Amino acid sequence: MVPGYHEAYVCAEHKALIEAGAPWDMEGNLVLMGTDLAPILANWRARPSVGSEGFTLTLEIAGQIKPVEVFLMPSEARTLSSFIDAANSDGGVCA
């Protein structure tokens, strides 16, 4: 089996959208499209912490006024980095 490979039945309309390049994702056996997809990241920034190890990651989501902020410890940042590296290298995400 190829890592990250999934099969799902989709209607002709959704198949045409997928083949035309519309964004899509899978959650289990469900194909997600449109408003069912995760929101689009418009911008991001990271600010090192002055008081402890780690940093604050700010995510600006398209269509939302208030950004989302999360504090990441170094181990969490490394895990996030490994997911991003995996997605950029072969299109898959390691768990």
Side-chain angles (χ1 to χ4, degrees), residues 19-43:
E19 290 175 347
W24 63 279
D25 196 2
M26 286 191 72
E27 186 176 292
N29 293 329
L30 300 175
V31 175
L32 305 176
M33 298 183 77
T35 57
D36 293 330
L37 285 174
I40 295 173
L41 181 65
N43 194 18

Side-chain angles (χ1 to χ4, degrees), residues 8-93:
Y9 291 102
V10 293
C11 68
E13 179 184 349
H14 285 107
K15 185 175 186 283
L17 289 170
I18 290 169
E19 290 175 347
W24 63 279
D25 196 2
M26 286 191 72
E27 186 176 292
N29 293 329
L30 300 175
V31 175
L32 305 176
M33 298 183 77
T35 57
D36 293 330
L37 285 174
I40 295 173
L41 181 65
N43 194 18
W44 68 272
R45 61 186 172 278
R47 183 180 71 248
S49 173
V50 175
S52 61
E53 283 190 63
F55 63 94
T56 298
L57 178 61
T58 303
L59 305 174
E60 295 177 16
I61 308 301
Q64 291 187 8
I65 295 171
K66 186 175 179 184
V68 175
E69 290 191 337
V70 294
F71 185 82
L72 296 174
M73 298 298 291
S75 62
E76 296 164 332
R78 282 189 297 276
T79 300
L80 177 59
S81 176
S82 71
F83 276 94
I84 292 170
D85 287 344
N88 283 328
S89 64
D90 65 4
V93 175

